[in-house]
Amino acid sequence: MAIIEVSGIHKKFGNSEVLKDVSLEVEESQVVVIMGPSGSGKSTLLRCMTFLEEPDAGDVRIHDCKVQAGSPSGHRHKVIHQLRQNTGFVFQHFNLFPHKTALQNVMEGPLVVKKTSVKEAKDLADELLRKVGLADRANHYPALLSGGQQQRVAIARALAMQPKVMLYDEPTSALDPELVREVLQVMKGLASEGMTMVVVTHEMAFAREVADRVVFMDGGCVVEDGTAKKIFEAPTEERTRQFLNAIAI
């Protein structure tokens, strides 16, 4: 059974229909890259998957938590909370607490949400900062870190909640080109360890190398979904071919 199941998601902002009956399944340990032009609904889909944006219709299941759009409140809020605990979300902008060190940023979720002990949270944070190559920056505040380092702290912070899946919303788009590689290396490492990941990105080399599947979106719809090899070398849909030709991969 898929670990992520998105069914019939619709989303409007005013009169603009941003998502039109989008469905998607992701198997455990798969890496799925979502690509497409700006305004195609990619980031909105990720946010709807965690109910950071409330879909107008459809439902989402991540692991054993299922939420239907517009369902009655009460128990629903508890399920959304559980769904988010199953999900690590890495944003385009790092959203670190500026008044906390890298270590404190990573400790925050386990301490506040999971109510773990300070020692347990610190041990986990130390381990995760080592994992993302920042053990020597544990006591640095975000202002003293490069953009790539801040994004790696953000990844460690998401991992600290021990999620079942990781979602990335254009995690390298705010970085200078020379800093992109260090973030992608961390993501590749997680993929090699079997972490289930859904990644919205324009990094086509990453998609070719790491993705098990590539989903191409345009106009709020899934236009094409297939293996990275198929999408990049023999796309079925003309719109996919146009997009790939335009970015000259």
Side-chain angles (χ1 to χ4, degrees):
M1 185 172 68
I3 193 168
I4 300 174
E5 188 174 12
V6 176
S7 303
I9 294 292
H10 290 261
K11 180 64 182 176
K12 278 187 175 182
F13 293 112
N15 293 324
S16 177
E17 193 172 12
V18 180
L19 296 175
K20 306 170 184 176
D21 193 25
V22 174
S23 296
L24 178 69
E25 291 190 1
V26 180
E27 300 296 323
E28 190 168 4
S29 298
Q30 272 194 332
V31 178
V32 175
V33 164
I34 303 176
M35 66 180 189
S38 297
S40 58
K42 309 180 299 294
S43 293
T44 302
L45 175 59
L46 279 198
R47 294 178 70 86
C48 284
M49 286 168 64
T50 52
F51 282 76
L52 293 171
E53 293 285 355
E54 175 79 32
D56 298 317
D59 56 66
V60 176
R61 181 182 57 78
I62 297 179
H63 190 47
D64 55 1
C65 296
K66 184 173 181 177
V67 186
Q68 186 171 16
S71 57
S73 58
H75 176 67
R76 177 176 187 269
H77 293 301
K78 182 179 179 181
V79 178
I80 290 175
H81 178 70
Q82 290 172 337
L83 181 144
R84 289 176 181 165
Q85 283 197 302
N86 285 336
T87 310
F89 204 125
V90 178
F91 298 88
Q92 177 179 350
H93 298 288
F94 326 119
N95 296 342
L96 299 178
F97 295 114
H99 61 290
K100 292 181 181 291
T101 64
L103 183 71
Q104 290 168 336
N105 266 279
V106 179
M107 290 174 64
E108 183 77 4
L111 285 173
V112 174
V113 179
K114 293 198 167 184
K115 309 299 182 186
T116 60
S117 69
V118 172
K119 182 182 185 306
E120 188 178 352
K122 183 180 183 302
D123 288 348
L124 177 61
D126 282 335
E127 176 190 336
L128 291 171
L129 287 172
R130 280 196 299 274
K131 190 183 192 75
V132 300
L134 291 173
D136 61 338
R137 296 291 189 272
N139 294 317
H140 285 55
Y141 290 91
L144 299 176
L145 301 174
S146 71
Q149 290 170 338
Q150 289 186 61
Q151 192 62 294
R152 284 187 281 156
V153 173
I155 292 172
R157 180 181 61 182
L159 292 171
M161 295 300 290
Q162 299 176 306
K164 304 292 185 184
V165 304
M166 289 283 285
L167 309 182
Y168 299 84
D169 185 11
E170 300 194 25
T172 60
S173 64
L175 301 178
D176 292 334
E178 65 267 24
L179 301 178
V180 168
R181 184 176 174 276
E182 64 190 50
V183 173
L184 294 180
Q185 283 299 119
V186 170
M187 294 169 64
K188 288 175 186 177
L190 292 174
S192 70
E193 294 172 4
M195 173 62 75
T196 306
M197 305 200 301
V198 180
V199 186
V200 170
T201 185
H202 295 292
E203 297 292 337
M204 296 298 103
F206 174 84
R208 277 180 177 271
E209 181 182 349
V210 181
D212 298 297
R213 281 171 47 218
V214 172
V215 175
F216 175 67
M217 292 185 66
D218 190 34
C221 300
V222 172
V223 175
E224 191 162 358
D225 180 349
T227 64
K229 182 178 176 64
K230 176 186 178 298
I231 296 297
F232 285 113
E233 296 181 11
T236 302
E237 300 298 325
E238 176 61 25
R239 182 65 188 95
T240 313
R241 288 194 289 272
Q242 289 173 353
F243 176 79
L244 293 174
N245 287 337
I247 61 175
I249 60 166

